[in-house]
Amino acid sequence: MFLSVASVGVGVAYASVGLARLGLDPIPLLLLSLASLVMGLRAPWVLLGALTLMLLACVGLDVFHPATAALAAEVGKPLSIAGFWLIIALVLDRTVAALRNSLEESERRNRALEHAYMRLEEEIAARDRTREQLFHSRKMDMTGQLASGLAHDFGNVLTIILGYAQKRNRLAADGGEPALVSALERVELAAGRAMTVSRKLMDFSRLDLSYPETFDAGTALDDLQTMLRQLLDPQVRLSLERPEVGLPIHMDKGNFELMILNLAGNARDALPDGGSFRITASRNDTPHLLTLTLSDNGPGIPESIQASVFTPFFTTKPKGEGTGLGLSLARDIVMDAGGEISIECPPAGGTSVQITLPLVSLVG
């Protein structure tokens, strides 16, 4: 509305002054600038057309003006003015167009940045959800491994207790009260092993999972013979070889006994039709190590899976018959005590588990 009123005012002023006395007026330039900057698009060209028509109108009025003698000299004046306005309009149009293009490009970039920021927020939220799910999965995995390990250890101990209970009638008939008393003592020892496992479960929240002590490994193996005999099938021959000298080691005694029971349980599963299970303990004073070798004459372990036998939950047994934790738990116990464990399966058959543990001095 302002441009329209101003344009009409310019036209009236030009008509009243006359083309002969018309100079270079800055008002049309101001109006063109406002039309380009504020309205854009077709507005400056419409305004330029209106101003040009006003110049033509002024030329027509000058024809009827009393002083028309100088009309011929002034014919080029409206053309020069209109040409000047056209150049200004073109410059303003291109300048404003470039400015608008820059603003549009800036707006597109801002929108692209907003979209990228939104995607980044979504990715961060998705990553947080994935991290929470992974953390939950790890907690569940640790809980499952703990539960499976405890079930594995309890299974071995309960097998021993159940074996004594099933032989109660034969023991009473063959050996009488002394045999029953001896069997109950062995049940008490087995129950003590179960209490060790239970203690580990209760100490789990305190991260105090072991009670290391110094004891003689040879004596501990002697004490385990009766329980091993009860754990193994009657058709499996059990033999223990150890030196007469002491074999002092420093570790959790309950863990040591559970490790032997776990490995013996694996040998039992490998000898369903009978065979032999042998434990050999030897002392090497040069590196000051105790070497334990537990071997059976079963079918052995295929070479293709030997590298995976210490992986938790890895088992070749049918579902429901194995947890895949026997060797894994044994490895953890040995490593916690500062030892090493390895497994060999000769081509002729059988499995041999070799354990080395550091010996300690009883002096002082």
Side-chain angles (χ1 to χ4, degrees):
M1 185 179 298
F2 169 78
L3 291 176
S4 300
V5 173
S7 299
V8 172
V10 169
V12 172
Y14 285 3
S16 62
V17 172
L19 186 62
R21 292 189 295 273
L22 181 63
L24 187 59
D25 187 10
I27 293 180
L29 302 180
L30 177 62
L31 296 180
L32 287 173
S33 300
L34 289 176
S36 299
L37 295 175
V38 178
M39 301 184 67
L41 298 178
R42 297 188 301 271
W45 299 107
V46 173
L47 181 62
L48 178 63
L51 293 175
T52 302
L53 291 176
M54 293 177 188
L55 286 177
L56 294 177
C58 291
V59 172
L61 290 175
D62 284 349
V63 172
F64 301 99
H65 199 274
T68 58
L71 178 61
E74 299 295 336
V75 171
K77 191 173 186 178
L79 296 178
S80 62
I81 293 176
F84 181 71
W85 287 350
L86 176 61
I87 293 174
I88 296 299
L90 286 172
V91 171
L92 290 174
D93 181 72
R94 292 298 89 199
T95 302
V96 173
L99 179 61
R100 289 184 180 275
N101 291 335
S102 298
L103 291 176
E104 290 177 357
E105 180 66 21
S106 176
E107 289 179 357
R108 284 195 296 269
R109 290 180 179 179
N110 288 337
R111 288 194 295 269
L113 288 175
E114 290 178 358
H115 293 159
Y117 180 72
M118 293 176 62
R119 288 196 301 269
L120 181 60
E121 285 187 333
E122 293 174 356
E123 291 176 359
I124 292 175
R127 186 186 63 181
D128 291 339
R129 289 193 299 268
T130 302
R131 183 173 55 191
E132 292 177 0
Q133 293 173 358
L134 179 60
F135 181 67
H136 179 71
S137 176
R138 287 179 177 175
K139 290 196 298 183
M140 295 300 295
D141 181 66
M142 291 179 61
T143 303
Q145 185 170 352
L146 174 64
S148 299
L150 293 173
H152 185 273
D153 291 338
F154 267 115
N156 287 333
V157 175
L158 293 177
T159 298
I160 298 173
I161 296 175
L162 182 61
Y164 283 116
Q166 290 175 342
K167 295 180 179 180
R168 61 187 182 278
N169 293 331
R170 182 174 60 81
L171 292 173
D174 296 343
E177 183 177 346
L180 287 176
V181 172
S182 178
L184 288 175
E185 290 176 352
R186 302 302 176 183
V187 170
E188 181 181 0
L189 289 175
R193 307 295 185 274
M195 289 297 297
T196 300
V197 177
S198 177
R199 181 193 67 198
K200 294 182 182 300
L201 177 61
M202 295 180 66
D203 291 340
F204 181 73
S205 61
R206 300 197 300 269
L207 300 179
D208 186 14
L209 302 180
S210 63
Y211 296 88
E213 58 179 302
T214 300
F215 62 95
D216 186 7
T219 303
L221 291 173
D222 288 338
D223 295 339
L224 280 174
Q225 281 194 80
T226 305
M227 296 183 66
L228 291 172
R229 180 68 275 168
Q230 190 63 41
L231 176 64
L232 296 170
D233 190 271
Q235 299 180 3
V236 177
R237 296 183 305 277
L238 171 65
S239 61
L240 170 63
E241 297 178 8
R242 73 175 188 87
E244 295 298 330
V245 296
L247 301 171
I249 58 176
H250 187 77
M251 62 181 296
D252 189 308
K253 188 176 181 180
N255 282 346
F256 178 82
E257 294 170 343
L258 289 174
M259 174 186 67
I260 300 299
L261 291 176
N262 278 331
L263 296 176
N266 286 344
R268 173 201 61 198
D269 296 337
L271 301 169
D273 300 324
S276 63
F277 178 64
R278 182 181 180 183
I279 302 177
T280 303
S282 60
R283 176 176 182 143
N284 191 338
D285 289 325
T286 302
H288 219 54
L289 294 175
L290 163 66
T291 301
L292 286 175
T293 303
L294 299 90
S295 57
D296 63 69
N297 62 345
I301 302 174
E303 185 178 358
S304 59
I305 63 172
Q306 287 183 17
S308 304
V309 294
F310 291 109
T311 304
F313 303 106
F314 176 82
T315 180
T316 58
K317 300 173 185 177
K319 186 177 181 179
E321 296 185 13
T323 62
L325 289 170
L327 289 173
S328 173
L329 294 174
R331 180 201 58 184
D332 293 342
I333 292 173
V334 171
M335 293 183 65
D336 288 342
E340 296 180 355
I341 184 172
S342 61
I343 188 169
E344 295 180 1
C345 296
T351 302
S352 177
V353 179
Q354 188 174 73
I355 300 171
T356 57
L357 293 170
L359 290 168
V360 298
S361 175
L362 296 178
V363 179

